């Protein structure tokens, strides 16, 4: 039988000596993912709130510390844990810098505290405590041996006072709380127990948690129909994107596009000479994953774009799509990285009976996998060296999961501030596993969750289960591949509803524009694909036209920035309304000073009205209280009273209230203030 | 940073070679206790129902096997797992003998099955498959290299047929399901993935799961007042106890009782010369834990008792109380095993301000702990050598938990059929930890759970959470230390109610008799202790008197034996009634042939009536069906119809129905049978 760390091994076999196994049990430490196999995730400044079960035989007083440190540090910091009932202990620490942190728990018996407690019971019962006082003095001398000299000599002097003299003075000294608190510092931890594992936290910079993303095809950045846009054109669009309040500008692949089997408009098999092809068909005679599509500009242009974006506090995210067009240099230089047919030709991608002749998948478990993996790592490192720190990874679930775990760890070793977004629209187990394996953020099912029940269930799962410890959703309302039915059929109000939901339910969300701002909603018939998608052709957008929806987007992104409650996914609560089409939820900042309440009509076609139940107790309000709700979208102020309040929302004008709660303070002069 | 088995270690460091990491992920295998730190428990013949999440990148077909074996076996057995949706896979194996079992999961890509599936899609779409057929032939030859010669040559012949000849014949051969199923046996598992841990099952004999316990003070086994009972007197009581249908006869400690500070009647500090003392104050000049109290008889008498009990299919359980009276031989022979005061004297047990001068606790973490632990192990082994296999452990939660884990493992190594019952009436974490550490059964909170809500909640926790994998409650209705308030105040009906609840909710339950059968219910005022408890004095019981309650006990124990549904704790379901005082639950045997329904009045004072909702769908009944319910207590037959049925229960006569469901079968001749 294979021993698994259990005590079924014989402790008393010849040669086993030393102290008895510790009597304190430390178990069920959380957060913990799969027995410590994977780290939890946090961003700089966030707390890790630990809970652990600690107990021992008998009735002695236990002490318990959460030990934590940045992995590079050599010494542990300690946070005392507090008993929280039923043998649970709680405490938290804050992570202060990007990179690895570690934590575990140490617990021990506090013999002096136990002795003080028991002495008190004995003296209360007027029992003779002569022998106990001698024991306490002995214990103090033993403690003193671990203390620095100043405290040690004080502890020894207290021991003397306890041993000798008038009995009530001895007892008073013995029961002194100060003595207890100093003695606690030098308790004997050598017989304490440490939790069986050291757990890990991966700490990201705050952008990993909070940000608004804008996706844009650089080649459509001109407004001249038929002209291929460039990085310089993108630079010209930056003021508009920054004005809309976005934080991240994500570009589909910027690499040379293959010619062989290039796809034509609407994903047709025949492309004309002037068709630009899909940017995801990477590689041509002009180069591969480390090269730039010549029509977009030069590496110098790209550096200029990074620079210009940074000046507007926009960060550029690149696409990582580890696949090749038949013209990719890898195909001739490293044919061993691809699958082959019996006739020796390379296999293109297939999902039978569908064929994707323009794409050669890489074989991640080929015999030459080490060279392949190393090369792909060098691709990411190359773009990091150019200054990119955010990567959106295309279809990671069709590549070896272990590869990603390895790659992300290697990149973050050098660039701990790098961010990886997994585009894995797939089954829950796979989506979750990629998040555990290191992806910073994940595309989610939000894109298809529309009803009150769907949204409530899904966001409870994301924010109130263990998922929240490792998976951060990035709520895209649309993508070049996904024009959801809700947008196809709901008209402009549907766009407003989805935008507000994404921007308030999610600390991180994204839109693919300009199709989103332009309310583009014609699909290729019977699909969720855009008709005449930019994926396969150049589109020109009227960037100059005044667009009130862009103004709304800007307003919402400013609301997000100004309200800390919206910077986090958790501390989200759903509340009751009497109308199935009206969703009501709140988010609260950690210090509870910022409370945002969102009441939104999920029906893009009709005005919906009803009563919303304000969770008074959650916000410390009384049934008789009035409180002000400031609508951050319109600037309106509502005076609400008590629990149930009436709302009416017309999606054709404003589908939602985004309310900031201002509590009413009654002063001595009965003058009302709202905080 | 400390690597925890993650891929953050660099796979590509110099010297690391070999195949690429496996692409299949095997995670979240259950049942699993604390990441495999502790085993789950089963009894011989029970299934281990495993569930695991298995997935891989891409869309290939996966295969998945549960591997299991008795720990001593050198080769694994395999059970194919079945996909159960959402990447979950399920399967089970049966444990066949007491001792350790192990299990884990292996999963791999079934390339040939994937190839067949894709080929089918291609031929259905009338695509050319020449190249695919060549690939399939290659795959078959590769598979053949792992097959025994007969199958290998057949596989090679199929490869030839697939490669050459007329195209529709080639396709037919290629898509043959027989070919697929034989190929599946020889799939390449070398790139498969095994679950990261091998998990363990501790397998007990069935008595660990199912049994009725009777607790008896041997010294009260006479019916002559003032005479000290003996093992021979106990032998004379065996027919009565066997007639009541008990399986285990548990005796409080049978060792010499200390004289110093012996407790008098009702736990008073002064004992007279003739007071027998508490059997838990173990050790005197006559010996210690390996000796027998002379007034009970000799070792030969004890052997005779074991023999006589066995003849009536009763098994004797002994008490393990690892503590000493001041007169125990250990005190003088091994003073280092006890705690000492500064003056050198040994400390008695205390829970300040209470003092227990008649008990010296052992110090499990003393410097000489190894000799102490070895000696205590030898005590248990000694009684095993005398033929005892069941031990009720007194207050295990006041001794080192690691000690128990070690001791039980050591004993069960030699005596895998040994059973340990933990008497730890303490906090949930501790109770659960002792169960994880190896105790076969646990005293539970049942003793104080009386209302419908309390019972429902508690038994859901015991049977429908992870607890069920390692903690088996033994439902004692009373003990020498616990006369619950419900019995104190509810009169004989309360005794009947508690008996029926214990015997039907629990596969294992116990009573402390004769006080239970005699409806003894006078407490020491203000306590749950019995007045004039046998713990401190001799009691004589009238063993001859006809006692109808004993007959009821016998009937209930026979119902238990005859109905397999009652042999297990799980497969318990609670059902609805419209009366808060009427509890309704069912138990079902694994093959569903035996269904027992219990409807019980929880109010000992009044007749309660109401409607009980039969969960028709659970038992495959239609709303229009009639079905017979046979009351196993009274022999009455009720014809029930549809969902809601009326019941009325008078606690003064019969507080409960114990019903066996007999489904009605309508034959062609419309003649009713009940199965």
């Amino acid at each position: 039988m294979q021993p698994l760390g259990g005590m079924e091994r014989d402790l008393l076999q010849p040669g086993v000596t030393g102290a008895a196994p510790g009597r304190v049990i430390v178990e069920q430490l959380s957060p913990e993912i799969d027995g410590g196999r994977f780290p939890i995730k946090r961003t700089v400044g966030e707390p890790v709130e630990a809970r652990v079960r600690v107990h021992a035989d008998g009735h002695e007083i236990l002490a318990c510390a959460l030990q934590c440190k940045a992995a590079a540090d050599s010494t542990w910091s300690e946070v005392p844990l507090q008993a929280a009932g039923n043998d649970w202990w709680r405490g938290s620490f804050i992570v202060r810098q990007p990179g690895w942190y570690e934590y575990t728990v140490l617990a021990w018996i506090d013999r002096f505290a136990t002795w003080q407690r028991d002495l008190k019971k004995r003296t209360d019962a007027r029992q003779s405590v002569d022998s106990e006082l001698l024991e306490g003095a002995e214990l103090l001398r033993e403690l003193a041996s671990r203390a620095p000299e100043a405290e040690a000599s004080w502890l020894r002097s207290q021991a003397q006072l306890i041993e000798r003299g008038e009995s009530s003075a001895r007892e008073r000294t013995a029961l002194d709380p100060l003595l207890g608190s100093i003695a606690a510092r030098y308790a004997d931890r050598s017989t304490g127990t440490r939790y069986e594992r050291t757990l890990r936290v991966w700490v990201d910079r705050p952008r990993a948690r909070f940000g608004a993303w804008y996706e844009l095809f650089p080649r459509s950045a001109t407004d001249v129909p038929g002209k291929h846009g460039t990085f310089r054109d993108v630079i010209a669009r930056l003021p508009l994107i920054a004005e809309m309040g976005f934080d991240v500008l994500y570009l589909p692949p910027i690499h040379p596009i293959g010619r062989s089997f290039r796809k034509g408009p609407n994903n047709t098999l025949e492309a004309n000479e002037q068709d630009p092809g899909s940017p995801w068909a990477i590689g041509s005679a002009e180069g591969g994953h480390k090269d730039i599509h010549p029509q977009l500009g030069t590496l110098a242009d790209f550096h200029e774009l990074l620079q210009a974006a940074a000046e507007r506090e926009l960060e550029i995210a690149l696409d990582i799509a580890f696949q090749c067009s038949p013209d990719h240099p890898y195909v001739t230089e490293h044919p061993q990285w691809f699958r082959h047919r019996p006739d020796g030709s390379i296999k293109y991608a297939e999902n039978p009976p569908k064929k994707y002749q323009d794409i050669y998948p890489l074989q991640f478990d080929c015999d030459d996998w080490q060279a392949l993996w190393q090369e792909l790592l060098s691709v990411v490192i190359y773009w990091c060296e150019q200054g990119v720190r955010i990567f959106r990874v295309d279809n990671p679930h069709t590549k070896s999961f272990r590869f990603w775990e390895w790659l992300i760890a290697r990149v973050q070793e050098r660039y701990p501030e790098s961010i990886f977004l997994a585009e894995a629209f797939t089954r829950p187990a796979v989506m979750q596993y990629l998040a555990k394996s290191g992806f910073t953020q994940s595309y989610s099912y939000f894109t298809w969750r529309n009803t009150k029940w769907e949204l409530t269930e899904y966001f409870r799962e994301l924010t109130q289960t263990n998922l929240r410890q490792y998976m951060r959703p990035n709520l895209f309302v649309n993508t070049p591949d996904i024009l959801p039915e809700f947008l196809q059929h709901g008209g402009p109000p549907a766009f407003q509803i989805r935008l507000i939901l994404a921007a308030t339910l999610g600390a991180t969300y994204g839109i693919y524009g300009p199709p989103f701002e332009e309310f583009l909603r014609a699909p290729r018939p019977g699909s969720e694909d855009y008709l005449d998608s930019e994926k396969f052709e150049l589109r020109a957008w009227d960037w100059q036209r005044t667009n009130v929806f862009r103004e709304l987007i800007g307003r919402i992104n400013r609301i997000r920035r100004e309200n800390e409650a919206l910077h986090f996914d958790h501390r989200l609560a759903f509340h009751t309304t009497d109308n199935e089409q009206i969703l009501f939820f709140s988010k609260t900042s950690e210090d509870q000073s910022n409370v945002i309440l969102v009441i939104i009509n999920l029906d893009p076609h009709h005005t919906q009205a009803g009563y919303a139940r304000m969770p008074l107790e959650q916000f410390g309000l009384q049934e008789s209280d009035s409180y002000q709700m400031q609508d951050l979208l319109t600037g309106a102020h509502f005076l609400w009273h008590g629990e149930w309040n009436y709302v009416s929302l017309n999606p054709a004008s404003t589908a939602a209230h985004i309310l900031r709660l201002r509590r009413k303070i009654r002063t001595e002069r009965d003058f009302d203030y709202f905080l």
Side-chain angles (χ1 to χ4, degrees), chain A:
Chain A
M1 197 219 37
Q2 163 189 10
L4 275 164
M7 292 290 295
E8 73 285 352
R9 71 179 182 270
D10 196 337
L11 287 170
L12 296 180
Q13 272 166 6
V16 177
T17 55
R23 289 171 46 216
V24 184
I25 303 299
V26 181
E27 56 168 348
Q28 300 175 62
L29 176 56
S30 70
E32 178 180 273
I33 313 295
D34 296 353
R37 166 68 178 81
F38 296 103
I40 63 164
K41 296 195 180 98
R42 288 293 185 275
T43 54
V44 169
E46 274 192 290
V48 174
E49 282 148 345
R51 189 171 101 123
V52 65
R53 226 159 187 183
V54 175
H55 50 88
D57 59 282
H59 305 98
E60 283 148 300
I61 293 176
L62 304 181
C64 198
L66 178 59
Q67 299 189 314
C68 52
K69 66 183 185 73
D73 293 350
S74 54
T75 56
W76 293 95
S77 299
E78 281 197 0
V79 179
L81 292 175
Q82 306 299 328
N86 234 341
D87 298 309
W88 289 109
W89 295 66
R90 290 176 182 278
S92 67
F93 66 96
I94 306 244
V95 293
R96 302 272 178 209
Q97 66 193 58
W100 289 107
Y101 269 71
E102 300 176 343
Y103 60 104
T104 192
V105 165
L106 180 70
W108 61 93
I109 294 169
D110 188 335
R111 289 178 59 203
F112 191 78
T114 306
W115 176 84
Q116 273 193 327
R117 178 198 64 189
D118 291 349
L119 187 75
K120 179 79 169 52
K121 288 183 186 167
R122 289 176 164 113
T123 56
D124 285 353
R126 297 170 184 278
Q127 294 176 351
S128 152
V129 292
D130 284 345
S131 175
E132 281 71 22
L133 290 171
L134 294 179
E135 260 181 76
E138 200 175 294
L139 204 45
L140 281 179
R141 288 203 179 84
E142 188 259 339
L143 290 165
S145 69
R146 284 183 293 273
E149 189 39 40
E151 281 170 298
S153 71
W154 183 77
L155 286 168
R156 281 189 293 264
S157 72
Q158 300 300 299
Q160 276 190 343
L161 293 174
I162 288 172
E163 267 171 339
R164 292 179 212 155
E166 189 267 319
S167 125
S168 71
R170 291 167 69 191
E171 289 174 18
R172 235 184 355 264
T173 305
L175 293 172
D176 182 1
L178 173 67
L179 179 59
S181 90
I182 289 175
R185 291 185 207 160
Y186 305 106
D188 180 11
R189 297 175 169 205
S190 69
T191 60
T193 302
R194 190 188 270 260
Y195 184 63
E196 293 187 346
R197 291 178 280 276
T198 298
L199 303 179
R200 294 169 306 150
V201 194
W202 174 258
V203 182
D204 290 298
R205 58 186 169 124
R207 181 62 68 228
R209 165 177 47 78
F210 174 66
W213 290 47
Y214 189 80
E215 176 173 2
L216 169 79
F217 280 73
R219 67 190 184 192
S220 304
T222 67
D223 35 20
V224 183
K227 182 163 173 286
H228 195 290
T230 65
F231 290 142
R232 297 191 164 276
D233 292 318
V234 177
I235 291 172
R237 301 301 160 218
L238 293 176
L240 185 79
I241 297 163
E243 184 56 31
M244 281 192 284
F246 287 99
D247 305 298
V248 176
L249 174 59
Y250 148 52
L251 310 179
I254 58 171
H255 315 301
I257 296 172
R259 280 246 138 245
S260 307
F261 300 98
R262 180 178 280 189
K263 294 289 174 72
N266 288 307
N267 203 16
T268 48
L269 292 180
E270 282 83 38
N272 291 323
E273 188 56 38
Q274 74 280 14
D275 286 330
S278 161
W280 282 274
I282 296 170
S284 74
E286 285 112 350
H289 283 78
K290 293 178 190 169
D291 300 294
I292 287 175
H293 188 57
Q295 287 179 282
L296 290 173
T298 64
L299 184 61
D301 294 338
F302 181 70
H303 283 147
E304 242 174 82
L305 170 60
L306 289 179
Q307 176 68 27
E311 282 163 11
R312 296 191 178 270
E313 297 188 348
L314 267 165
E315 193 170 342
I316 299 293
L318 286 192
D319 192 297
I320 295 181
F322 280 147
Q323 54 194 19
C324 299
S325 99
D327 310 322
H328 196 293
Y330 290 163
V331 176
T332 44
E333 289 166 20
H334 303 283
Q336 74 280 15
W337 291 350
F338 301 88
R339 289 192 192 276
H340 295 259
R341 290 199 195 75
D343 69 3
S345 61
I346 292 179
K347 297 182 81 167
Y348 45 77
E350 291 181 85
N351 187 6
K354 289 194 217 158
K355 303 177 179 211
Y356 307 94
Q357 289 94 337
D358 59 334
I359 299 292
Y360 286 178
L362 291 157
Q363 189 186 352
F364 285 81
D365 57 353
C366 66
D367 290 344
D368 194 33
W369 64 277
Q370 291 170 313
L372 168 63
W373 290 25
Q374 206 62 268
E375 168 63 18
L376 297 178
L377 171 61
S378 81
V379 167
V380 184
I381 295 290
Y382 175 82
W383 291 108
C384 284
E385 284 164 354
Q386 305 316 311
V388 178
R389 291 292 180 278
I390 307 186
F391 301 94
R392 177 269 196 195
V393 178
D394 190 69
N395 275 334
H397 55 297
T398 61
K399 287 103 189 166
S400 169
F401 303 150
R402 298 273 186 242
F403 165 74
W404 293 120
E405 190 177 9
W406 171 83
L407 177 122
I408 294 170
R410 286 289 76 73
V411 175
Q412 290 185 333
E413 197 167 65
R414 283 180 62 179
Y415 301 99
E417 69 282 20
S418 57
I419 288 172
F420 292 82
L421 164 61
E423 188 241 13
F425 287 113
T426 179
R427 310 184 308 282
V430 173
M431 211 180 243
Q432 290 161 22
Y433 196 83
L434 288 165
K436 290 191 227 176
S437 297
F439 280 93
T440 320
Q441 299 180 350
S442 311
Y443 281 68
S444 78
Y445 302 132
F446 165 75
T447 315
W448 300 276
R449 296 290 181 269
N450 297 304
T451 67
K452 189 167 174 174
W453 188 85
E454 286 169 350
L455 288 162
T456 307
E457 286 301 297
Y458 189 51
F459 281 86
R460 283 206 179 120
E461 184 189 343
L462 286 171
T463 62
Q464 285 165 36
T465 69
N466 215 23
L467 263 188
R468 107 149 182 86
Q469 304 294 348
Y470 62 86
M471 186 164 133
R472 298 191 191 100
N474 185 333
L475 310 183
F476 264 82
V477 292
N478 66 332
T479 79
D481 293 312
I482 308 170
L483 171 63
E485 290 202 351
F486 190 83
L487 296 183
Q488 294 180 23
H489 303 304
F495 284 71
Q496 193 196 119
I497 291 166
R498 296 300 296 176
L499 172 74
I500 294 173
L501 285 173
T504 54
L505 282 170
T508 301
Y509 85 105
I511 70 174
Y512 153 54
F516 190 75
E517 305 106 84
E518 301 281 356
F519 303 133
L520 226 69
R521 54 189 186 275
R524 205 141 49 79
S527 80
E528 282 195 324
D529 293 331
Y530 277 91
L531 185 67
D532 305 330
S533 167
E534 294 188 277
K535 273 183 77 173
F536 306 105
E537 57 192 286
L538 300 182
R539 292 291 298 261
W541 309 107
D542 185 350
W543 294 94
Q544 313 304 335
R545 183 171 66 80
T546 303
N547 177 328
V548 291
F549 192 45
R550 285 209 177 112
E551 284 169 21
L552 179 71
I553 294 171
R555 207 171 322 138
I556 288 171
N557 281 332
R558 273 190 298 281
I559 292 170
R560 283 168 49 86
R561 286 189 184 164
E562 288 164 6
N563 288 279
E564 205 198 329
L566 299 176
H567 297 196
F568 295 84
D569 284 330
H570 61 295
R571 297 191 296 268
L572 165 70
F574 289 95
H575 309 301
T576 305
T577 71
D578 63 356
N579 182 330
E580 262 309 284
Q581 295 288 354
I582 299 180
L583 181 70
F584 179 19
F585 58 89
S586 68
K587 280 183 154 180
T588 308
S589 65
E590 192 174 8
D591 66 2
Q592 302 191 19
S593 67
N594 183 230
V595 177
I596 297 296
L597 300 110
V598 178
I599 307 185
I600 183 163
N601 178 358
L602 300 175
D603 173 1
H605 305 293
H606 308 99
T607 296
Q608 296 283 350
Y611 283 86
R613 183 177 172 278
M614 183 71 177
L616 299 176
E617 64 298 342
Q618 181 180 330
F619 303 119
L621 297 166
Q622 304 295 320
E623 178 59 42
S624 57
D625 284 350
S626 298
Y627 45 96
Q628 215 187 66
M629 296 283 241
Q630 180 189 3
D631 191 328
L632 302 175
L633 277 179
T634 61
H637 289 70
F638 302 105
L639 193 65
W640 278 24
H641 182 90
E643 206 168 24
W644 291 94
N645 288 271
Y646 181 78
V647 291
S648 174
L649 295 158
N650 178 356
S653 54
T654 309
H657 297 305
I658 302 181
L659 302 165
R660 195 170 136 216
L661 172 65
R662 302 180 152 226
R663 294 189 185 78
K664 193 177 182 182
I665 304 289
R666 204 169 281 276
T667 71
E668 287 169 355
R669 286 183 297 275
D670 202 17
F671 188 86
D672 287 347
Y673 288 102
F674 293 95
L675 272 195

